Amino acid sequence: MNNKYIVTSNKIITVSDIKTLSNGAFVVSDGIISDIGDYNDIKSKYKDLEVIDFKDLVITPSLIDCHTHLFEYATSTVYPVTEETYEIAQDTLILNGLMSGVTAFGEQVCGSPMYEMNLNKIKEKVKTLPLDIVFSTNSITIGFENLVNLTAVTGKSSVDKETLINEEILEKIIDESEYPGENVFINATPANLKEELVPKAGEIIYTQEELNKISKMFHNKGKKIGCHVAGEEGIKMAIEAKIDIIHHGHGITNELIKKAKEENIIIVATPLGGTHLKPNSPEEIEALVKEGIIIAIATDSYLPPDINLPWLNFEDDSPRGPEVLMKISNQGMLKLKDVGLDENEILSLITLNGAKVLGLEEKIGALKVGMKANFIASKGIPGLEITDIKDIIKVFYEGKCVIDKKR
């Protein structure tokens, strides 16, 4: 394939101001979209360029999963690995993500008792891969009877509560964090464990004063802060502390939704799970969007789903990851269609809004001039019309085809 070519299809959903193009086209030049519009206009301007015609396939931006745990926790959740084979499994999970149409991840680094993660080494490795991964460095509390605290900068060993609020440790976390992920866990997490093993899951870890101080430290360094939180009390604390991005927000009330909007808080919804409370329902997603909150849907992968939740419709509780991003988004996206939202606005929940969470909205998440040519060719609109990754036929990253399932 040449470095400059034309992409055309009967339907291109841009997730931009120009919305959906019928018989549209865009020009890819050295991995960037350099022009976009009606096919006949584009073809007349660039007569000598190769044309890739996807005909009846739908072209959309590639997907973004802005909250994952692929490198630390998911690896041993999915595969029976040891430290000797951890990195092989990491590569497999990344490939699974690409096959699912995802070319950008927001990856949480929390510290793990199972794997000593060398973040600098991982970041260098990621530079060679055909996808974007942005890292959030965090502290985490696991809700065992005796709470276990870990941080991204202290490694495999559990630390005490005082370490979580230690300014020197916090400075290191802030310096290394690239986006507002789960920088701070307001509630102890069940961490994918059975309920009887984590009786303190959901317990509030910080005082309001401590949380305010941590948030202010991030902001003083010009960084946004995100948090893991669920339940009315914890969400109130997050809003008061001026947290920028709420991850999960399970159990959010209508009153808190309005307050979150007033503070311009972005919410990363995780319908698959991730906290001690039931995950975000389609109704909750609809309420957030109706209030005008920017919402991105993410998998928090890899998680075992609650098979009793009707909007998930899984037959077993084996851990799921990016391959179900479309499936877990489907019911919420259909509700938004029923209330009259445009397909571009709806698709933004798993594309452009995820880019906004990652701070990459000027580069990825939409098909417009100047942005990366990251796109997929599918048998329908991802999440809205299709939920099975077999219906994603080709995946492009910076103009290069990285997954090709043929027809």
Side-chain angles (χ1 to χ4, degrees):
M1 186 181 295
N2 296 326
N3 289 336
K4 191 170 184 176
Y5 59 91
I6 296 171
V7 173
T8 186
S9 168
N10 293 339
K11 187 171 188 176
I12 299 175
I13 302 178
T14 69
V15 194
S16 76
D17 292 342
I18 59 177
K19 297 196 173 182
T20 299
L21 296 172
S22 300
N23 194 36
F26 55 88
V27 177
V28 176
S29 180
D30 293 324
I32 302 296
I33 296 173
S34 59
D35 203 351
I36 189 166
D38 177 77
Y39 171 71
N40 293 324
D41 293 340
I42 293 290
K43 183 58 181 170
S44 67
K45 289 166 67 176
Y46 306 94
K47 295 182 175 63
D48 298 329
L49 289 187
E50 173 192 4
V51 176
I52 302 176
D53 188 353
F54 286 100
K55 301 186 186 308
D56 57 331
L57 294 180
V58 178
I59 305 298
T60 69
S62 54
L63 308 184
I64 297 173
D65 194 349
C66 64
H67 182 138
T68 60
H69 295 266
L70 302 179
F71 287 95
E72 282 182 331
Y73 286 92
T75 313
S76 57
T77 298
V78 179
Y79 299 109
V81 291
T82 66
E83 286 213 35
E84 298 300 318
T85 48
Y86 233 82
E87 292 184 14
I88 299 172
Q90 290 168 350
D91 292 343
T92 303
L93 294 179
I94 292 298
L95 180 60
N96 288 343
L98 282 172
M99 291 175 63
S100 306
V102 180
T103 62
F105 293 94
E107 178 69 2
Q108 315 303 310
V109 184
C110 303
S112 165
M114 298 168 285
Y115 175 68
E116 188 81 63
M117 186 156 157
N118 185 325
L119 186 55
N120 290 330
K121 180 181 175 183
I122 292 288
K123 286 182 178 180
E124 286 302 311
K125 175 182 178 178
V126 164
K127 290 178 183 178
T128 69
L129 301 177
L131 73 168
D132 297 300
I133 302 183
V134 185
F135 294 91
S136 171
T137 43
N138 318 321
S139 61
I140 182 175
T141 300
I142 303 174
F144 295 118
E145 182 63 42
N146 295 314
L147 294 172
V148 171
N149 305 306
L150 298 154
T151 85
V153 299
T154 53
K156 295 172 68 173
S157 300
S158 180
V159 300
D160 58 22
K161 163 66 186 297
E162 292 306 308
T163 302
L164 299 184
I165 56 175
N166 179 282
E167 289 193 11
E168 186 176 343
I169 296 296
L170 286 167
E171 292 279 356
K172 291 178 181 178
I173 290 173
I174 295 167
D175 288 342
E176 293 192 17
S177 190
E178 297 177 333
Y179 90 101
E182 292 180 295
N183 299 121
V184 59
F185 278 60
I186 295 177
N187 308 93
T189 173
N192 300 356
L193 298 168
K194 292 187 180 300
E195 188 175 345
E196 59 269 21
L197 296 176
V198 280
K200 290 189 177 178
E203 183 172 305
I204 299 289
I205 303 305
Y206 299 90
T207 66
Q208 187 69 61
E209 183 181 1
E210 290 167 344
L211 201 57
N212 292 350
K213 178 182 176 181
I214 294 169
S215 180
K216 188 175 181 180
M217 287 180 68
F218 272 82
H219 293 152
N220 285 345
K221 284 209 162 193
K223 296 276 186 87
K224 291 183 177 181
I225 180 174
C227 71
H228 165 116
V229 66
E232 189 170 351
E233 181 183 357
I235 296 170
K236 280 181 180 177
M237 292 177 69
I239 294 172
E240 184 174 331
K242 307 294 184 185
I243 297 288
D244 298 288
I245 296 185
I246 284 177
H247 292 255
H248 308 301
H250 300 161
I252 193 168
T253 63
N254 288 332
E255 179 186 355
L256 290 173
I257 289 174
K258 292 182 184 299
K259 288 184 177 179
K261 172 58 180 175
E262 290 172 4
E263 297 295 332
N264 295 314
I265 293 172
I266 294 176
I267 294 181
V268 176
T270 53
L272 192 59
T275 73
H276 62 293
L277 297 180
K278 285 187 177 180
N280 306 103
S281 68
E283 292 76 18
E284 201 167 85
I285 290 170
E286 179 188 2
L288 290 164
V289 173
K290 276 186 172 180
E291 192 61 40
I293 289 176
I294 295 173
I295 174 175
I297 297 178
T299 61
D300 194 14
S301 56
Y302 271 67
L303 287 179
D306 182 342
I307 60 174
N308 297 313
L309 295 176
W311 64 87
L312 295 181
N313 194 29
F314 288 112
E315 295 180 358
D316 64 78
D317 63 355
S318 58
R320 302 318 205 278
E323 73 279 359
V324 299
L325 178 59
M326 295 187 295
K327 181 179 174 67
I328 66 173
S329 304
N330 175 248
Q331 293 302 307
M333 293 172 82
L334 287 174
K335 274 194 166 292
L336 297 178
K337 181 182 179 182
D338 289 343
V339 297
L341 262 71
D342 174 81
E343 59 195 9
N344 290 267
E345 295 175 274
I346 297 170
L347 187 57
S348 71
L349 272 65
I350 52 175
T351 56
L352 184 59
N353 289 358
K356 291 177 180 178
V357 172
L358 300 179
L360 296 177
E361 66 269 28
E362 298 301 319
K363 296 181 178 180
I364 62 174
L367 302 177
K368 58 191 294 188
V369 172
M371 300 185 79
K372 288 186 181 184
N374 296 356
F375 62 95
I376 54 180
S378 308
K379 292 183 178 179
I381 303 172
L384 193 58
E385 297 175 344
I386 62 168
T387 59
D388 193 322
I389 63 171
K390 68 178 176 53
D391 291 326
I392 293 177
I393 307 304
K394 293 193 179 188
V395 181
F396 287 76
Y397 176 76
E398 294 186 353
K400 296 179 181 178
C401 185
V402 295
I403 297 294
D404 188 355
K405 300 176 188 177
K406 308 296 182 184
R407 290 209 197 194

